[in-house]
Amino acid sequence: MTLERKIARAFNLTHKNWMKHSNPWSVWTRYSVLPIIIFAFWSRIWIGSWCLIPGGISLLWMFFNPVFFKAPKSTRNWASRSVMGERVFLNRDKIDIPAIHKGPIHNILNGVSSIGMVIAIWATVVYSVWGAILGIVLAYLGKSWFLDRMVWLYEDMKDNNEEYKSWDY
């Protein structure tokens, strides 16, 4: 079982919920989570432990966002295809993906994103504005590039598998 499949299970991503998550509103609003979490915990200097409330709400938003929206009217957009590509990628242990989509690039991009997260967390602890900005930029650069690779993967796989093709409407 892939790590991605374990994460999908933690977020209760059934077929129905995957389709909800493929709504562009779901994809784009998830980009709000990291800056809101950073700002919430940064605000501890002004509001003390009350910062846990907006921080907790933003963490809940991260967890429930994938199932909050309705399935999109069309999946023929970058955001929807990025989610469907993630779904194909997590299924790579059952349905092989083309060689061009294998290799270290996914780990590298996730590594860039993870380094950004670590920098953002560090910056929040020490109140470094530039560190927070750098961390967010790296986290989102890695994640966005990864999602773009997922769009490419989905485009390469959708015509070779009936289930994947059914997601395209």
Side-chain angles (χ1 to χ4, degrees), residues 53-120:
I53 293 171
I57 290 169
S58 57
L59 289 172
L60 285 171
W61 174 243
M62 179 183 70
F63 187 78
F64 289 109
N65 171 284
V67 298
F68 182 77
F69 298 95
K70 294 179 183 176
K73 292 179 182 175
S74 171
T75 59
R76 293 189 177 155
N77 60 76
W78 185 90
S80 294
R81 290 172 189 266
S82 71
V83 170
M84 294 183 296
E86 284 183 300
R87 205 170 164 191
V88 169
F89 188 69
L90 78 82
N91 202 34
R92 69 190 180 280
D93 60 336
K94 294 184 178 180
I95 299 173
D96 198 30
I97 61 175
I100 197 164
H101 296 289
K102 296 177 183 177
I105 188 66
H106 303 104
N107 292 333
I108 292 168
L109 295 174
N110 284 327
V112 168
S113 188
S114 296
I115 289 168
M117 291 290 294
V118 168
I119 292 171

Side-chain angles (χ1 to χ4, degrees), residues 89 92 97-106 148-157:
F89 188 69
R92 69 190 180 280
I97 61 175
I100 197 164
H101 296 289
K102 296 177 183 177
I105 188 66
H106 303 104
D148 195 59
R149 300 280 306 197
M150 295 299 101
V151 171
W152 181 17
L153 173 61
Y154 179 69
E155 290 295 334
D156 284 354
M157 294 291 292

Side-chain angles (χ1 to χ4, degrees), residues 4-167:
E4 295 84 3
R5 189 182 321 276
K6 290 177 184 175
I7 293 169
R9 282 198 178 152
F11 282 88
N12 192 31
L13 288 176
T14 62
H15 171 72
K16 180 180 177 181
N17 288 343
W18 270 110
M19 295 314 292
K20 289 179 177 183
H21 185 36
S22 72
N23 186 317
W25 280 99
S26 176
V27 174
W28 295 119
T29 58
R30 280 182 70 89
Y31 277 85
S32 69
V33 172
L34 182 58
I36 291 172
I37 289 172
I38 289 171
F39 184 74
F41 289 106
W42 196 295
S43 70
R44 72 189 183 277
I45 198 166
W46 306 298
I47 61 176
S49 62
W50 289 99
C51 73
L52 296 174
I53 293 171
I57 290 169
S58 57
L59 289 172
L60 285 171
W61 174 243
M62 179 183 70
F63 187 78
F64 289 109
N65 171 284
V67 298
F68 182 77
F69 298 95
K70 294 179 183 176
K73 292 179 182 175
S74 171
T75 59
R76 293 189 177 155
N77 60 76
W78 185 90
S80 294
R81 290 172 189 266
S82 71
V83 170
M84 294 183 296
E86 284 183 300
R87 205 170 164 191
V88 169
F89 188 69
L90 78 82
N91 202 34
R92 69 190 180 280
D93 60 336
K94 294 184 178 180
I95 299 173
D96 198 30
I97 61 175
I100 197 164
H101 296 289
K102 296 177 183 177
I105 188 66
H106 303 104
N107 292 333
I108 292 168
L109 295 174
N110 284 327
V112 168
S113 188
S114 296
I115 289 168
M117 291 290 294
V118 168
I119 292 171
I121 291 167
W122 167 82
T124 303
V125 170
V126 300
Y127 294 106
S128 169
V129 172
W130 294 111
I133 292 169
L134 175 64
I136 290 169
V137 167
L138 284 175
Y140 286 161
L141 176 69
K143 182 62 175 178
S144 297
W145 194 349
F146 176 82
L147 291 177
D148 195 59
R149 300 280 306 197
M150 295 299 101
V151 171
W152 181 17
L153 173 61
Y154 179 69
E155 290 295 334
D156 284 354
M157 294 291 292
K158 71 177 180 181
D159 293 328
N160 300 327
N161 181 289
E162 288 304 314
E163 180 184 6
Y164 298 164
K165 195 173 200 168
S166 72
W167 304 340

